[in-house]
Amino acid sequence: MTADEVMVGVGLVVVLAVGSQLLASRLRVPALLILLPVGFVAGALTDNVDPGKLLGDAFSPLVSLAVAVILYEAGLGLEIGRLRGHTRRIVVRLLWLGALITWLSAALFAVPVLGMSKGAAVMLGAILVVSGPTVVGPLLNFVRPSERLQRVLIWEGSLIDPVGGILGALVFHAVVAGELKGFGSQLEQFSASAAVGAVGGVVGAGVLWLLLRRARLSEELATSAQIAAVIGIAAACDALREDTGLISAVVMGMAMANLPGLDIPARRPFLDTLVSLIIGLLFISISATVTPASLRHVVLPSLALVALLVLVVRPLVALVSTAGTDVRGGERWFIGWMAPRGIVAAATASTFPVARRLGVLRPSRSRPLLVGGAPWAVDLGRALSSAGLDVLMWAGAERQRARIEEAGLPLAPGELLAAASGAGAELAGITGVLLLTEEDDFNALAAMTLRESVEGPVHRLAPAADSQGVVAPYTGGEPLFRTGLTGPELARRYEAGARVLTRRADGAVPAGHDVLFVVRPDGRLAPVTHTRSPDIRPGDTAVLLGPPSRQPSL
């Protein structure tokens, strides 16, 4: 290829990858559903996107290093300490039983139906074990099943990535070792490959631990150090033994997530962006290598394999994994229907009507997270709950947490606010955040952090006019409530006897009352801000702050 053709090809791959992800985001469907057909069509129309011609022999090593970065980032999410209670029991079963049953079933089916050798079928079964949050998350955000189902499936999708990565890498080396004669040689080769990857991962994790613990690195340098360490260790391991770099990358990620003394931020913007771009580039490039002629003889057998995985294997996994738990029938069958592996992502397009039929959909109402435990904020939480919203509250001080529990409102775990900037918001089904603490700077900083990661709106109280805060007076964003209704003013009025109440939209707002929110008939929450006051329509519920009933104490 000429230099101009290479430039056009590389540019086209990047544009198609990002464009497909943008379209998928707008359509609220898994990016995989757009990336694969786009890459396939592009490969059929032009040779400029063929990675073999663009990169030549460098394509395979670059794919291995790119996948190593993806697996390291997935391993960072494998923080076992955060998987507790009832959810842990089901997720652990889904992981090991699901991986085992899926692997064996796919391998046994692939030999007679796809005409594969035993070694290739075993490798295919290991590949089909993997399903990641890049597929599961958008589907669940669109379908909105019950909170417990969403939590279980998000955890399964997040944890199966590194587990599947380890399994795939180990099975690959076991299959390669199986080509040698004699059981002793097979075991020796398999053990050597596993050892190289594991030792490389431990060494890489040790180097990163020292760098991040001892050196005072900025966020940018810390991220660069992690990427360099992962690529360097993976490349070194692959140079010693082929594909052991995948094992080292997962081990490094798992170790960094669980080693003591490290504070890996929940938000990793640059690393997350890099991984998202890599995923897009890989799917476009790899699907572009698939020609229409190569599919001619495998379409029907592949559809049969999809049917087996979706209609037989996954329901069996769900039934076995949830046996003896309090998961009811509809939830069990929905877990069984949710088979979001890469090759069957299209088959899950029917997930929404299935969820509705099984009665496991979460109501489409807003689920706001109220951050703060002042008396008036707890009163607001009660009012929103009485208006039909699924309210969740969080507070740091023990007395405030006790006040929330005494009010009978759901209290989020202590670490939720930090986790809300990563996968935590998805885990809890949060649709928006209201920052209502007495600390203006905390509200401002939290709003800046969460706006980049929470899909729904993030609102905060306006700082007092005479605020001496370091951040709050200079931070943008649209503050809650009308001008002048700041945190101190709300506290003063509440102390004077004002209460938060709800009122059906059957007339004008009573004198002396301030509208705080409007709850629409479908459960959507519309806040009053400094610049916007939602219209109150018939059928709406207005959340009001009443007038003081007495003079505040001095």
Side-chain angles (χ1 to χ4, degrees):
M1 297 183 72
T2 65
D4 289 343
E5 289 174 329
V6 171
M7 291 290 287
V8 170
V10 171
L12 186 57
V13 170
V14 173
V15 170
L16 290 176
V18 177
S20 298
Q21 291 173 325
L22 288 174
L23 179 59
S25 176
R26 296 292 298 174
L27 297 177
R28 294 183 64 82
V29 298
L32 191 64
L33 293 181
I34 308 296
L35 288 165
L36 288 179
V38 167
F40 177 77
V41 172
L45 294 178
T46 176
D47 290 336
N48 286 345
V49 296
D50 186 336
K53 296 181 179 179
L54 282 174
L55 302 173
D57 293 339
F59 176 60
S60 182
L62 287 176
V63 168
S64 295
L65 296 178
V67 173
V69 174
I70 294 173
L71 291 179
Y72 171 77
E73 194 270 342
L76 290 176
L78 196 59
E79 190 176 342
I80 303 299
R82 295 181 59 189
L83 192 61
R84 298 187 291 268
H86 172 78
T87 302
R88 179 182 187 129
R89 183 180 179 186
I90 298 176
V91 170
V92 169
R93 286 183 180 181
L94 284 171
L95 288 175
W96 78 269
L97 284 175
L100 181 62
I101 294 173
T102 302
W103 179 22
L104 293 178
S105 301
L108 290 174
F109 193 74
V111 173
V113 174
L114 296 178
M116 288 184 167
S117 65
K118 292 181 180 179
V122 169
M123 190 67 233
L124 176 65
I127 292 172
L128 295 180
V129 163
V130 178
S131 85
T134 53
V135 176
V136 179
L139 266 177
L140 294 178
N141 288 337
F142 176 71
V143 176
R144 287 181 58 80
S146 64
E147 180 184 345
R148 176 167 65 172
L149 281 180
Q150 180 145 342
R151 182 178 292 113
V152 166
L153 292 169
I154 282 288
W155 271 110
E156 182 202 10
S158 299
L159 296 178
I160 198 65
D161 255 4
V163 171
I166 293 174
L167 179 64
L170 293 181
V171 168
F172 172 79
H173 289 292
V175 171
V176 172
E179 296 176 359
L180 302 177
K181 301 297 183 182
F183 177 78
S185 296
Q186 295 179 27
L187 183 61
E188 179 183 345
Q189 295 297 320
F190 174 80
S191 300
S193 296
V196 169
V199 170
V202 170
V203 171
V207 171
L208 278 179
W209 186 87
L210 288 174
L211 275 175
L212 300 181
R213 182 71 186 266
R214 303 292 182 182
R216 297 180 179 274
L217 300 180
S218 65
E219 182 179 347
E220 293 80 7
L221 282 177
T223 303
S224 298
Q226 292 178 70
I227 295 172
V230 171
I231 292 178
I233 292 294
C237 290
D238 277 343
L240 290 174
R241 293 189 70 85
E242 189 176 1
D243 280 339
T244 54
L246 300 181
I247 302 174
S248 68
V250 179
V251 171
M252 286 178 67
M254 293 170 60
M256 297 302 291
N258 293 280
L259 280 174
L262 283 180
D263 184 19
I264 302 294
R267 288 182 62 256
R268 301 178 289 271
F270 180 75
L271 185 58
D272 292 343
T273 302
L274 178 62
V275 168
S276 176
L277 180 60
I278 288 174
I279 290 173
L281 296 177
L282 286 180
F283 276 123
I284 291 292
S285 299
I286 293 173
S287 59
T289 64
V290 180
T291 63
S294 67
L295 296 177
R296 187 173 304 146
H297 302 294
V298 298
V299 170
L300 292 179
S302 297
L303 290 176
L305 180 60
V306 169
L308 173 78
L309 292 175
V310 174
L311 301 177
V312 179
V313 176
R314 179 63 183 190
L316 176 62
V317 169
L319 290 174
V320 173
S321 300
T322 57
T325 68
D326 61 350
V327 176
R328 57 187 179 87
E331 293 176 327
R332 182 175 291 127
W333 285 110
F334 182 77
I335 293 174
W337 188 257
M338 196 70 178
R341 272 122 193 115
I343 68 161
V344 298
T348 60
S350 58
T351 298
F352 183 77
V354 168
R356 184 185 298 276
R357 196 73 172 268
L358 294 175
V360 297
L361 280 179
R362 183 189 305 155
S364 59
R365 296 177 174 273
S366 296
R367 191 181 201 220
L369 170 64
L370 277 61
V371 179
W376 72 265
V378 176
D379 201 23
L380 173 62
R382 276 196 299 251
L384 292 175
S385 180
S386 70
L389 300 189
D390 185 12
V391 174
L392 185 66
M393 295 198 70
W394 183 92
E398 285 301 320
R399 60 182 178 81
Q400 294 184 341
R401 296 176 69 82
R403 183 182 296 134
I404 294 170
E405 290 180 325
E406 289 171 2
L409 294 169
L411 180 63
E415 72 274 9
L416 182 79
L417 187 58
S421 59
E426 288 184 335
L427 295 181
I430 295 166
T431 59
V433 181
L434 305 176
L435 297 159
L436 311 173
T437 75
E438 300 166 348
E439 297 293 334
D440 291 335
D441 280 343
F442 174 85
N443 293 339
L445 289 171
M448 292 170 61
T449 300
L450 297 179
R451 281 194 187 106
E452 299 179 12
S453 53
V454 175
E455 279 198 18
V458 178
H459 295 288
R460 66 182 176 97
L461 292 174
D466 57 350
S467 173
Q468 301 299 316
V470 176
V471 178
Y474 312 103
T475 305
E478 200 169 20
L480 281 171
F481 313 141
R482 66 166 175 79
T483 303
L485 205 54
T486 62
E489 175 63 14
L490 286 162
R492 185 194 68 79
R493 287 180 56 173
Y494 193 83
E495 184 183 353
R499 293 295 180 263
V500 181
L501 51 96
T502 60
R503 182 184 179 93
R504 299 290 294 179
D506 55 1
V509 176
H513 290 67
D514 282 296
V515 180
L516 304 180
F517 297 92
V518 175
V519 180
R520 304 300 186 190
D522 61 359
R524 290 181 296 113
L525 183 65
V528 174
T529 66
H530 275 23
T531 59
R532 287 185 302 173
S533 182
D535 296 332
I536 302 179
R537 309 162 190 160
D540 290 343
T541 299
V543 181
L544 311 172
L545 178 66
S549 60
R550 62 180 182 273
Q551 291 296 322
S553 57
L554 299 176

